[in-house]
Amino acid sequence: LLLLWSITVSIFGIGGLVGSSGSRYLTVKFGKKKCLLCNNVLMIVAASIMGCSKISQSFEMILIGRFMCGVSAGLCVPLHHQYVGEISPKKLRGFANSTSSFFWTLGKAIGQISGQRELLGSRSLWPLLMASCGVPALVQLVTLPFFPESPPYLLMQKGDQEGCKKAIRQLWGEGQHQAEMDDIMREKAAMKNTKILSVLELVKEPAFRWQLYMIVTLTSTIQLCGINAV
């Protein structure tokens, strides 16, 4: 039982690693909006599987659902940051990206509170708690089709200038947006001369060694500082 419990808890992180590893390929091939929409479907399916695990008397369904949730979360984190940053006006981009961390933390807090035995953490209601992760995914699945694809993706990956202009006007209103399009074109020209490193190449690159040390140290410290217990 201890082994199964440990696997159930940790398999979320394994799914996250799988999801984040494939995020770059999927965004380049299909675009941020389509990937987010499909990712919401994955999360809803995972929530349904976990919610039905008690009725089916199957702990394997919890394992599968947790893994799928991890894959969805691993895809969602980089996708969400990129999409929100790219559809935001330049002057609001930093603020818009910072909201991701705020709502990520808020979601954790709501999950911890909802998981108390007096609320959804009881013997009869815990399947609802596990299925609740499908609610925000459903909200995004319904609302996201009203948003356009990321303008940088349309211009840089698809070469669709008209589509890019239409998306910018829909997001930022009517007006002269040629400066923003010029910025995107300069970024595209810069990327042609920049080599995209794989994870292994990034680890081996001496120029990024200290940055990696700092990130690993900070991430480890966050996990060990007791904030989850608090």
Side-chain angles (χ1 to χ4, degrees):
L1 285 176
L2 181 61
L3 177 63
L4 287 173
W5 177 253
S6 302
I7 294 172
T8 303
V9 172
S10 60
I11 202 167
F12 178 88
I14 298 170
L17 179 64
V18 173
S20 60
S21 299
S23 62
R24 180 177 172 270
Y25 169 78
L26 292 173
T27 53
V28 171
K29 188 170 179 63
F30 301 108
K32 278 87 175 177
K33 180 181 172 181
K34 286 182 182 177
C35 286
L36 282 170
L37 285 169
C38 294
N39 193 49
N40 290 324
V41 175
L42 179 65
M43 180 62 83
I44 291 169
V45 172
S48 303
I49 290 173
M50 290 189 294
C52 296
S53 59
K54 185 178 181 182
I55 298 174
S56 304
Q57 296 184 342
S58 170
F59 72 88
E60 293 90 350
M61 291 176 70
I62 301 177
L63 276 169
I64 295 168
R66 286 274 298 171
F67 177 76
M68 291 172 68
C69 274
V71 173
S72 179
L75 281 167
C76 183
V77 172
L79 279 173
H80 186 266
H81 277 284
Q82 290 173 32
Y83 184 70
V84 169
E86 290 177 3
I87 67 173
S88 304
K90 204 169 187 179
K91 60 183 179 181
L92 296 176
R93 199 162 292 161
F95 170 76
N97 272 323
S98 67
T99 59
S100 303
S101 301
F102 170 76
F103 284 112
W104 187 264
T105 308
L106 180 64
K108 282 186 174 182
I110 292 172
Q112 293 282 358
I113 294 167
S114 303
Q116 299 299 310
R117 289 196 180 114
E118 293 78 10
L119 297 174
L120 295 179
S122 63
R123 188 182 292 271
S124 59
L125 295 178
W126 66 261
L128 290 177
L129 178 66
M130 300 202 77
S132 63
C133 60
V135 175
L138 181 61
V139 171
Q140 192 179 61
L141 185 65
V142 173
T143 56
L144 193 59
F146 296 99
F147 287 78
E149 181 56 89
S150 158
Y153 172 78
L154 291 171
L155 191 58
M156 294 170 64
Q157 303 294 337
K158 295 294 186 181
D160 184 2
Q161 288 199 14
E162 287 303 316
C164 179
K165 289 178 182 177
K166 184 179 178 182
I168 288 175
R169 284 196 295 268
Q170 183 180 344
L171 290 164
W172 306 339
E174 296 294 335
Q176 294 296 323
H177 301 295
Q178 190 58 43
E180 286 84 355
M181 293 190 66
D182 291 340
D183 285 341
I184 297 172
M185 292 304 296
R186 281 194 290 270
E187 184 182 348
K188 182 178 181 180
M191 284 181 65
K192 287 182 179 179
N193 301 320
T194 305
K195 182 185 177 185
I196 304 298
L197 299 177
S198 66
V199 176
L200 188 60
E201 289 172 332
L202 181 67
V203 172
K204 290 181 177 179
E205 179 60 49
F208 300 123
R209 194 66 46 81
W210 280 104
Q211 290 92 322
L212 278 171
Y213 288 158
M214 289 175 66
I215 290 171
V216 169
T217 303
L218 282 170
T219 307
S220 303
T221 305
I222 289 170
Q223 295 300 319
L224 296 172
C225 73
I227 187 64
N228 290 331
V230 173

